Amino acid sequence: KAGVTQTPRYLIKTRGQQVTLSCSPISGHRSVSWYQQTPGQGLQFLFEYFSETQRNKGNFPGRFSGRQFSNSRSEMNVSTLELGDSALYLCASSFRTGAYEQYFGPGTRLTVT
Amino acid sequence: GIQVEQSPPDLILQEGANSTLRCNFSDSVNNLQWFHQNPWGQLINLFYIPSGTKQNGRLSATTVATERYSLLYISSSQTTDSGVYFCAVEITGGSNYQLIWGAGTKLIIKP
């Protein structure tokens, strides 16, 4: 069974731009969660989508948004990029909603200059 | 909010040594998980362990929910065990949940 895939793996953007990251979950998994990892703040939960609906949301500003498609693939969008948005963005999939047995993708490394 | 503290922050061991990593949390939680992040950033779920003891090969974990801590044991360490070990606790409020992460223990296994 193929694992969780994320595209692109690396991305460089400038302040003020917007970016879209993609996550394809393991086949059969309907939950996709997104996390931000930075050296200063560690791992932080962004949001979770299950069956195309946002089920949970962390404490991030509205510039961070997401969506999920009918095939469970998910995209995360960050608008008006700031230098502090530079991070490793990880997505995780699970067969049910919540944090049960999440499988992580390799991440997208975003650098904002 | 809930605090998740991991110790030690760094650990350097020789191959073949055993180690114990600790995770303390400040409030009741629904669940607790241990993860390993390898040097290339890949995060792997090791254990989903709200309470009790589980074992998987050279790794085992114990969570004592009433005393708010969990331990991860690594026996006969190998260089491939190097990386950062995170514990994360799940808390819920109504229909929502949050996964709160510790800062991690960075483990280096020397050959």
Side-chain angles (χ1 to χ4, degrees):
Chain A
K1 187 183 276 190
V4 179
T5 58
Q6 291 187 246
T7 57
R9 293 292 311 279
Y10 302 91
L11 205 50
I12 299 175
K13 291 284 189 178
T14 57
R15 275 180 299 175
Q17 287 186 312
Q18 74 164 16
V19 67
T20 299
L21 312 182
S22 180
C23 173
S24 293
I26 291 172
S27 178
H29 285 191
R30 295 162 64 191
S31 166
V32 174
S33 297
W34 289 90
Y35 298 88
Q36 181 196 66
Q37 185 175 25
T38 60
Q41 298 297 318
L43 275 151
Q44 293 182 284
F45 171 72
L46 279 156
F47 32 65
E48 182 211 9
Y49 284 85
F50 183 84
S51 293
E52 302 179 62
T53 301
Q54 187 180 86
R55 290 297 183 95
N56 295 279
K57 191 176 189 303
N59 299 319
F60 277 80
R63 299 186 298 108
F64 292 82
S65 63
R67 60 177 175 170
Q68 187 179 35
F69 302 94
S70 58
N71 61 357
S72 294
R73 188 178 70 86
S74 177
E75 288 182 346
M76 189 192 87
N77 185 76
V78 187
S79 63
T80 319
L81 283 166
E82 302 176 0
L83 294 178
D85 297 333
S86 295
L88 179 67
Y89 289 90
L90 295 160
C91 82
S93 79
S94 176
F95 76 94
R96 73 181 200 196
T97 187
Y100 182 74
E101 287 194 353
Q102 293 187 328
Y103 295 84
F104 282 79
T108 293
R109 175 78 63 185
L110 172 65
T111 302
V112 182
T113 62
Chain B
I2 190 169
Q3 303 296 315
V4 181
E5 296 179 351
Q6 292 187 242
S7 60
D10 300 279
L11 192 56
I12 302 174
L13 299 171
Q14 289 295 134
E15 200 167 24
N18 301 326
S19 58
T20 300
L21 283 56
R22 188 177 180 99
C23 174
N24 292 334
F25 43 98
S26 60
D27 205 344
S28 299
V29 299
N30 294 89
N31 286 299
L32 183 143
Q33 300 186 58
W34 283 97
F35 295 87
H36 173 225
Q37 188 170 40
N38 67 22
W40 297 271
Q42 180 67 53
L43 207 57
I44 305 286
N45 184 300
L46 297 175
F47 294 103
Y48 184 83
I49 184 167
S51 63
T53 297
K54 289 186 178 180
Q55 180 154 9
N56 184 1
R58 296 182 295 104
L59 274 60
S60 65
T62 295
T63 297
V64 184
T66 54
E67 297 187 23
R68 300 178 184 168
Y69 74 88
S70 183
L71 302 173
L72 178 69
Y73 306 96
I74 305 173
S75 64
S76 305
S77 298
Q78 300 175 358
T79 56
T80 51
D81 294 332
S82 296
V84 183
Y85 290 81
F86 293 99
C87 72
V89 299
E90 179 184 346
I91 56 174
T92 57
S95 61
N96 297 321
Y97 85 93
Q98 284 254 6
L99 201 58
I100 309 298
W101 297 74
T105 291
K106 185 174 182 179
L107 177 64
I108 297 173
I109 304 298
K110 293 188 171 182

